[in-house]
Amino acid sequence: MTSTPSSNGLRTSRRRSLPWQALVDAAMLLLWGLMLLRFTVTGKLYLLLHPDYMWLAHLAMVLLLAMGVSRLVQVGLSYRQGTGQTIRSQEHTALLPRQFSVALLIAIAVFGLVYTPRPFASETAFQRGITDVLGQTRSRPQRFSLGGESEERTIVDWVRTLNVYPEPDAYAGQTAQVSGFVTHIPGWPDEFVMISRFVLTCCAADAYPVGLPVELPAGTARPAPDTWLEVKGKMQTSTLDGKRQLAIGDPTLTEIPEPRTPYEY
């Protein structure tokens, strides 16, 4: 008995039909892996994660790329051998329909591949409450010590120091050398600006701003908001918003490029 041409054609069509579900899964895995690879290569991952958690992102990147390539190899071998086996993803209970979930994940990955993250600046600092020098640090260090010279302290070191001992006169005359972006605080005199930084404890979602007031030398124009400066001067006590605050006085201002890692930790 011989089979008819129509039945042979139908059998070949079934054997050669592409497993689209498996291909879409592979594409989704590869897109997410490539997105993490892009952020790693361009250094933008530092804008999204604390360095302590970088290894998790790197591990996820390797696993996603390996799973995506493995999936493609599996599909290719099955297609070339023409076994007719259907490659299906394991079904599981989910809140959203599978097609919607996959489409959403692919859309997010594509967005991550075309969007370039930017570091937070003064506008975000206002939204997240940079209104006071004191009481801004959310970290709870198990121990704290003032080691080294005062000019080696970062903005975060100064603010944490003030949290421990908030008397500004105790630091008068000490040398400060910090870098950050300029913020204009509403209500402050024109000769004062805030030199600010964001602090990351885990990821960009929990970043919060800290800063120190800077009293500009007489006749110095206010630097534009978001300008990155290195500020060197002497600590002094100034009254702002009716409160005595520690400020950097008689400063030397040097404009610097935006650092590769603009956050502090």
Side-chain angles (χ1 to χ4, degrees), residues 55-223:
W55 68 273
L56 285 172
H58 295 158
L59 178 62
M61 175 188 68
V62 172
L63 290 177
L64 288 167
L65 290 175
M67 291 168 62
V69 171
S70 173
R71 195 66 167 161
L72 281 181
V73 170
Q74 185 184 13
V75 171
L77 289 176
S78 175
Y79 186 74
R80 290 183 58 184
Q81 292 172 358
T83 58
Q85 295 177 348
T86 302
I87 302 175
R88 298 181 62 84
S89 299
Q90 292 184 348
E91 299 295 339
H92 59 275
T93 304
L95 293 176
L96 299 175
R98 186 180 188 284
Q99 292 82 355
F100 179 79
S101 302
V102 171
L104 181 62
L105 288 171
I106 290 178
I108 294 173
V110 171
F111 178 76
L113 284 170
V114 299
Y115 174 73
T116 300
R118 293 285 305 157
F120 295 138
S122 57
E123 182 177 352
T124 310
F126 286 121
Q127 294 171 357
R128 300 197 178 189
I130 184 165
T131 56
D132 197 351
V133 179
L134 300 180
Q136 294 178 354
T137 55
R138 300 173 187 171
S139 62
R140 295 290 182 269
Q142 295 180 350
R143 64 186 180 86
F144 178 79
S145 62
L146 276 179
E149 302 296 330
S150 61
E151 57 265 34
E152 295 177 353
R153 297 174 196 159
T154 64
I155 293 177
V156 177
D157 292 333
W158 278 108
V159 174
R160 286 174 178 164
T161 302
L162 286 165
N163 281 337
V164 175
Y165 191 72
E167 173 49 55
D169 287 343
Y171 313 99
Q174 293 188 11
T175 301
Q177 184 172 358
V178 297
S179 62
F181 61 89
V182 172
T183 306
H184 293 175
I185 304 297
W188 281 13
D190 290 342
E191 64 269 25
F192 280 91
V193 297
M194 179 86 85
I195 190 77
S196 313
R197 284 268 190 154
F198 275 90
V199 182
L200 252 66
T201 56
C202 179
C203 63
D206 62 19
Y208 62 93
V210 295
L212 287 172
V214 178
E215 183 175 5
L216 304 174
T220 302
R222 255 184 162 188

Side-chain angles (χ1 to χ4, degrees), residues 42-49 51 54 117-121 154-156 179-181 196-200 207-210 226 228 256-265:
T42 58
K44 299 302 181 183
L45 203 56
Y46 284 97
L47 303 181
L48 305 174
L49 283 178
M54 290 288 180
R118 293 285 305 157
F120 295 138
T154 64
I155 293 177
V156 177
S179 62
F181 61 89
S196 313
R197 284 268 190 154
F198 275 90
V199 182
L200 252 66
Y208 62 93
V210 295
D226 301 330
W228 278 84
I256 59 174
E258 181 183 283
R260 181 172 179 267
T261 55
Y263 301 147
E264 294 191 357
Y265 308 100

